[in-house]
Amino acid sequence: MNEIGYVASREMKIGFRNPWAYSFTALFALFMFSLLLINTQSYVQGYTGSSSTMINLALYLLPLMALMLGSFSLTGEKEEGNWELLSTYPLRTWTFLTGKYIGLSAVLMVIVSFGFGLSGVASWLLGGAFAAVTYFQLLIFSLCLSLFFLGAAMLIGSIARNRWQALTMAVGVWFFSIIAWPAILIALLGTLPYSWMKTAVTILTFINPAELTRLFTVVKLGGGSTLGPEYYQWMDWIRSPWGTPAFFGVMLLWIGVTQAISYYLWERGRGRG
């Protein structure tokens, strides 16, 4: 545990010195404040056009931020030779990756919370208002989205040899899961028999953490009726008492799988070294 804490604290120090972190913080806070400023004369509760816009903003910005910060952190260790030095010490790979994930998670949570907090206070001073429950649900959505994609970033950082490869892969994952996902989903479902569609939608949704988190948040905000008949069963289980624990269980499983694959890749590289 001491070794994990050391790696995590080291990662937090590096993360908060990283100009990328402050750039993303300023960008996220600026966009959040702009959206809230537009709605200063309205009271937003539940799933509305305003909350939908905030969800879309988080979907476009936060996964890319998590992918870049996380993958660059791991590839930086390779390029700068830090991992070669650390591997000479009795530091286990699992401890190293776990500490990295915890430290990066803390950095991302501070960035997201700062953006929400600063924008929320500014909006309140200007007379606008989001319902506290709605605003809190949007914050949880943003945090979960960041943690999901940080797991993917760890996997990218384990595969890529340098920052350029990490950048290419991170942008590719972001484009596939955020920008191109609706078109890919429609194209795949169009080739399947109707009886297979619900099963295919379920499997594909669990593959894409952005879509899973978006659906969960939309239903929790009361906008499940906008999703269509294919998602009726989703609304039932998300609204049920075990819906929230199941979602967080899936998130932990998803992150655990990506961490396990990252561990295998790092161990294989360490053995070769």
Side-chain angles (χ1 to χ4, degrees), residues 48 59 67 74 116 125 152 164 223 239 259:
T48 64
L59 280 171
L67 288 168
L74 286 179
F116 268 84
L125 291 175
W164 284 110
R239 290 172 178 170
Q259 283 287 86

Side-chain angles (χ1 to χ4, degrees), residues 77-78 81-89:
E77 300 284 3
K78 300 176 185 177
N82 293 330
W83 172 243
E84 293 182 3
L85 175 61
L86 290 173
S87 62
T88 62
Y89 293 93

Side-chain angles (χ1 to χ4, degrees), residues 46-47 51 55 134 137-142 144 210-224 238 247:
Y47 187 75
S51 54
I55 288 174
T134 300
Q137 287 175 324
L138 292 171
L139 172 61
I140 296 300
F141 162 75
S142 300
C144 291
E211 184 67 6
L212 175 62
T213 311
R214 184 187 72 86
L215 290 178
F216 179 80
T217 304
V218 168
V219 174
K220 283 295 185 181
L221 289 173
I238 290 175
F247 171 77

Side-chain angles (χ1 to χ4, degrees), residues 3-269:
E3 293 175 347
I4 293 176
Y6 168 76
V7 176
S9 62
R10 173 178 174 270
E11 190 60 37
M12 285 188 282
K13 291 178 182 178
I14 296 174
F16 288 123
R17 293 172 184 170
N18 189 345
W20 280 92
Y22 292 101
S23 299
F24 277 119
T25 302
L27 185 63
F28 184 66
L30 176 62
F31 278 106
M32 282 285 297
F33 177 71
S34 299
L35 289 175
L36 291 173
L37 190 62
I38 295 173
N39 297 281
T40 52
Q41 303 302 319
S42 60
Y43 182 76
V44 180
Q45 184 175 12
Y47 187 75
T48 64
S50 299
S51 54
S52 175
T53 303
M54 291 184 69
I55 288 174
N56 290 330
L57 167 65
L59 280 171
Y60 279 105
L61 185 58
L62 295 181
L64 183 62
M65 177 176 67
L67 288 168
M68 293 180 66
L69 290 178
S71 60
F72 282 12
S73 176
L74 286 179
T75 52
E77 300 284 3
K78 300 176 185 177
E79 287 186 314
E80 296 167 8
N82 293 330
W83 172 243
E84 293 182 3
L85 175 61
L86 290 173
S87 62
T88 62
Y89 293 93
L91 178 66
R92 292 175 295 178
T93 302
W94 186 255
T95 300
F96 172 73
L97 292 176
T98 302
K100 275 276 186 181
Y101 186 89
I102 293 173
L104 288 167
S105 297
V107 174
L108 287 171
M109 286 191 287
V110 169
I111 291 174
V112 174
S113 300
F114 179 81
F116 268 84
L118 181 64
S119 302
V121 170
S123 176
W124 177 75
L125 291 175
L126 292 173
F130 256 76
V133 174
T134 300
Y135 205 63
F136 180 73
Q137 287 175 324
L138 292 171
L139 172 61
I140 296 300
F141 162 75
S142 300
L143 293 174
C144 291
L145 191 66
S146 301
L147 296 178
F148 259 125
F149 277 90
L150 181 57
M154 301 292 285
L155 184 56
I156 292 173
S158 300
I159 298 172
R161 296 181 179 179
N162 52 58
R163 288 184 176 93
W164 284 110
Q165 286 187 359
L167 176 62
T168 302
M169 296 172 69
V171 172
V173 170
W174 174 78
F175 182 84
F176 173 83
S177 59
I178 305 299
I179 305 296
W181 183 256
I184 294 172
L185 187 63
I186 292 172
L188 288 176
L189 293 179
T191 63
L192 298 175
Y194 181 78
S195 58
W196 293 7
M197 282 190 179
K198 289 185 179 180
T199 303
V201 166
T202 300
I203 295 173
L204 292 172
T205 300
F206 279 107
I207 291 175
N208 186 352
E211 184 67 6
L212 175 62
T213 311
R214 184 187 72 86
L215 290 178
F216 179 80
T217 304
V218 168
V219 174
K220 283 295 185 181
L221 289 173
S225 59
T226 64
L227 299 175
E230 290 81 7
Y231 293 96
Y232 284 162
Q233 292 182 346
W234 285 81
M235 288 185 279
D236 290 338
W237 78 261
I238 290 175
R239 290 172 178 170
S240 67
W242 52 271
T244 299
F247 171 77
F248 284 106
V250 171
M251 185 176 75
L252 291 175
L253 176 63
W254 208 95
I255 294 171
V257 169
T258 55
Q259 283 287 86
I261 298 174
S262 300
Y263 168 78
Y264 168 76
L265 295 173
W266 278 82
E267 276 291 289
R268 188 175 65 174

